[in-house]
Amino acid sequence: QLPTGLYKKVLVILHDSVLPYMNEPTLMMDFLTVAYGIGGAISLLALNGLFILIHQHNLEYPDFYKKLYSLLDPSIYHVKYRARFFHLTDLFLSSSHLPAYLVAAFIKRLARLALTAPPEALLMIIPFLCNLFRRHPACRVLVHRPGGPAEMSEDPYVMEEEEPSQSRALESSLWEIQSLQNHYHPDVAKAAAVLNQSLSEMEDDISGLLELSGYELFDKEVKKKAVDVPLEFEQVRGLFGKKNDIFAEHFSLD
């Protein structure tokens, strides 16, 4: 049993400072699978090393996607390792051989959690979901279901279900994105409105959005050039706007 702080320090550097220099990186399988099962930030950090073992050393992890699905909780949009997590999740969900029910479960869960996410995370996750729709056309029924949320008395999706295949995501509709189209931040509302139109074939590049911070968003808004908005269509002539009132006889505007 290692202290949590030590776990994090090791896992942050393991994938690029340890595994490439080992003669047998597969010796780290047990350590990484145990770390992946701990949960929270430790599981997120273990993803890097697991990805290398799965991709390059033929590690088989039968419940990998079930565990990845269970990592999706409200904290993923706020943790320090958010960029790393979504970069790897994007890689894991890139295969066109994944079943539609699995990808639909990820889309639905990410969209549901997005309802409480900060704007900087939303500007990343909406293009991320659009890319998933491009890769897996069978999941587009979530957006284009006849009637949509208007004709649903309740959402059939089961958020608490740990098994993606039992979550009934493919029976649902993506009303969460419709809600985000009325978001208070105009950039988020504009990004969410993209799903009202036909998606282009080319995927969005989200690499520049993974590290987006609230400070950068605020700084961007502050640096926008202000546009002069006319408040009066008629030039003010007197103290209270009338030419011939009694105040105009005694006071003048310079």
Side-chain angles (χ1 to χ4, degrees), residues 7-191:
Y7 250 126
K8 291 180 179 178
K9 286 180 181 178
V10 171
L11 291 171
V12 162
I13 63 169
L14 189 68
H15 65 286
D16 59 356
S17 299
V18 178
L19 288 179
Y21 302 100
M22 292 181 69
N23 291 329
E24 294 186 46
T26 51
L27 292 172
M28 300 302 295
M29 284 181 180
D30 289 340
F31 173 74
L32 285 169
T33 50
V34 169
Y36 190 47
I38 289 176
I42 292 177
S43 291
L44 299 186
L45 292 173
L47 275 173
N48 266 111
L50 272 180
F51 173 70
I52 291 175
L53 294 184
I54 291 171
H55 188 63
Q56 299 177 10
H57 302 283
N58 300 317
L59 170 65
E60 291 189 12
Y61 196 114
D63 292 329
F64 178 79
Y65 283 99
K66 179 182 175 181
K67 179 61 183 174
L68 183 64
Y69 183 73
S70 70
L71 292 180
L72 302 182
D73 60 34
S75 68
I76 58 164
Y77 290 125
H78 304 273
V79 291
K80 183 168 65 172
Y81 312 110
R82 184 185 72 200
R84 179 187 298 218
F85 174 74
F86 279 103
H87 169 68
L88 290 171
T89 304
D90 188 42
L91 287 175
F92 293 138
L93 296 176
S94 61
S95 172
S96 58
H97 299 293
L98 293 174
Y101 75 81
L102 178 68
V103 180
F106 274 89
I107 290 173
K108 187 66 181 173
R109 195 175 181 99
L110 287 169
R112 181 69 60 85
L113 295 174
L115 293 174
T116 56
E120 61 270 20
L122 291 174
L123 290 175
M124 175 272 298
I125 200 60
I126 293 173
F128 182 91
L129 295 179
C130 289
N131 286 347
L132 291 181
F133 283 122
R134 291 183 177 99
R135 296 171 196 165
H136 309 276
C139 294
R140 293 185 185 183
V141 67
L142 292 174
V143 178
H144 303 295
R145 185 178 300 283
E151 294 185 7
M152 282 185 171
S153 57
E154 60 179 20
D155 192 342
Y157 173 68
V158 185
M159 181 74 173
E160 296 76 22
E161 177 57 56
E162 295 181 0
E163 182 62 57
S165 61
Q166 304 297 323
S167 66
R168 300 177 63 193
L170 271 178
E171 302 172 33
S172 183
S173 178
L174 215 59
W175 58 266
E176 294 88 352
I177 298 298
Q178 202 169 8
S179 298
L180 293 178
Q181 290 172 1
N182 299 309
H183 197 272
Y184 69 87
H185 197 292
D187 289 349
V188 173
K190 183 179 178 182

Side-chain angles (χ1 to χ4, degrees), residues 126 130 134 181 189-200 204:
I126 293 173
C130 289
R134 291 183 177 99
Q181 290 172 1
K190 183 179 178 182
V194 170
L195 280 172
N196 289 342
Q197 307 156 6
S198 297
L199 292 175
S200 62
D204 297 320

